[in-house]
Amino acid sequence: MIIIKIFYILAAHSIHIISTKKRQQKINISIVILSIMILFVDRVDELSFLEERFKSGRAELIVIYGRRRIGKTELIKQFMKDKDGFYFLARKQNMGLELERFGKKFGKKFNIFMESRTWDDIFEVITKFIRNKRFVIAIDEFSYWMDEEPAICSILQSIWDESLSKTRCFMILCGSTIGMMESLLTYGNPLYGRRTGQWKVDQLSFFDVKNFFPNYDIEELIKAYACVGGIPQYLLEFNPEFSLKENIEETFLNKGNILYDDAERILKDELREPIVYLNIMECINNGETTMSEISKKTKVDITNLSKYINVLMRRGLLKKEYPPT
Ligand SMILES: Nc1ncnc2c1ncn2[C@@H]1O[C@H](COP(=O)(O)OP(=O)(O)OP(=O)(O)O)[C@@H](O)[C@H]1O
Ligand SMILES: [Mg+2]
């Protein structure tokens, strides 16, 4: 049985100004105001995992990661909505500024004085503040900090060992740079032995897609899923009031829409040789499926090719499929 758990998260008013010629004939300038309830779909396993850990009552350090637009932030917010805690969205900028921002935001939210000279100072105040409370501290986009300040993991390690681990704090470190977040789980990382759980957030399943397109028939649903998969943000880019064809025109074929070049953008953000990866994906998309064919077409040495393929598979961008016979 497929359990689909739905939370109503917000009533959103989104205004779509439709500008294609075809639709201009239909409805000159059409402004569609969608006053619909946007759904929070599924994530039953993820939420129950977090709730279970939360119930332990002990200090927990949880790593959450997954590709961009997959729904990590929303998941954390859903989990935190009935809990005492502090959510912080890290920025890719100088760590001195981040330290200041973190301290100020915490101080403002809980109305306490924060002198943000060092991370030790900040967490000393936080440790005193949370005392014996069950308290969530979620740092989203933690990988930005790892990138900016490689020492951040050892800094957190000593803070964890000396103070946070003795509290009932529930710390979440979340990030989108999969390679970097996975490095937190490896033996050499200072936080390796401190982590008490981890979850890689994956795409929603095909059965969840129906929630985004209540009026689509099964054929359209399959086609929509084939286009955008189970990535919530992409599913939300499609307007449920439009046909699939109209949606494709308004997104993948519309230069101003994120779907127009998001795949390329993500690869550029996350990988050092995006062009090589793009060439490999294009080649596979064109029907080449053996290592020797792909190597020949992309000019990537066959001995290095499996390394690139593995990276694409780990990021969920490529999947091995075998024919039924
Ligand atoms: N389970 C869900 N059901 C419905 N909408 C969702 C769900 N998860 C996420 N969304 C929506 O999808 C969009 C992207 O989600 P979110 O920002 O949480 O992704 P993310 O993984 O944090 O992305 P990024 O890595 O770019 O920060 C948001 O508009 C969010 O409200
Ligand atoms: Mg996010």
Side-chain angles (χ1 to χ4, degrees), residues 8 16 33 38 61 84 86 95 105 141 154 161 227 232 235 238 241 245 248 260 283 289 295 313:
Y8 291 88
H16 293 261
I33 300 173
I38 297 181
L61 177 57
D84 209 2
F86 177 64
M95 282 305 276
K105 215 173 163 222
E141 299 296 2
S154 346
D161 290 351
C227 292
L235 289 161
F238 274 22
E241 303 294 316
K245 186 167 173 282
I248 291 171
Y260 185 81
C283 182
T289 52
S295 164
M313 290 208 300

Side-chain angles (χ1 to χ4, degrees), residues 40 43 46-47 50 63-80 87 89 138-144 172-178 181 199-204 231-233 266 270:
F40 181 69
R43 300 306 187 203
E46 290 78 357
L47 285 170
L50 289 170
V63 175
I64 295 183
Y65 65 106
R67 58 153 290 170
R68 289 224 162 267
R69 335 283 184 231
I70 199 89
K72 302 174 297 297
T73 301
E74 196 63 56
L75 172 67
I76 294 171
K77 292 201 163 162
Q78 286 295 325
F79 170 67
M80 289 182 71
Y87 167 87
L89 180 60
I139 306 177
D140 199 352
E141 299 296 2
F142 180 70
S143 38
Y144 285 164
I172 299 177
L173 302 179
C174 174
S176 308
T177 317
I178 303 204
M181 293 309 287
W199 195 282
K200 182 171 181 227
V201 182
D202 281 320
Q203 298 194 25
L204 295 171
I231 312 277
Q233 174 136 16
I266 289 176
E270 294 206 0

